[in-house]
Amino acid sequence: MTTQSRNEVLLEGLPLALPVWSHENHGTSFYRFFLQVPRLSGTPDVLPMVLPESLVEQVREDAPLRVRGQLRSFNN
């Protein structure tokens, strides 16, 4: 039996820039970048992404990227 997280997402798009340092938590550095994800309407979504330092080298500017992770949001 496979368990599925209610906030799991799979996105495919283009990074708009290389990741930059964002913050550190429990000794792990996290980096932030924006991913442009196409929509059927033709207007892309630009979504903020946060990833641990161990995955930074996998992000290349203007190279397609597939991201699997959790959706986290908050009201500002």
Side-chain angles (χ1 to χ4, degrees):
M1 176 182 228
T2 303
T3 59
Q4 186 175 9
S5 172
R6 291 177 190 248
N7 67 348
E8 185 176 315
V9 295
L10 175 62
L11 299 170
E12 295 182 17
L14 290 174
L16 297 180
L18 294 175
V20 295
W21 187 85
S22 173
H23 64 281
E24 185 175 316
N25 189 7
H26 298 289
T28 301
S29 288
F30 289 88
Y31 290 74
R32 181 181 175 119
F33 68 99
F34 290 92
L35 186 68
Q36 181 174 296
V37 180
R39 294 179 60 131
L40 293 176
S41 68
T43 302
D45 284 324
V46 176
L47 305 169
M49 311 299 289
V50 176
L51 72 159
E53 185 173 29
S54 61
L55 298 177
V56 168
E57 290 185 15
Q58 296 181 26
V59 179
R60 293 183 204 95
E61 193 172 5
D62 295 327
L65 181 67
R66 180 181 288 171
V67 177
R68 182 185 308 269
Q70 293 180 344
L71 176 64
R72 305 269 178 106
S73 65
F74 62 94
N75 292 331
N76 210 359

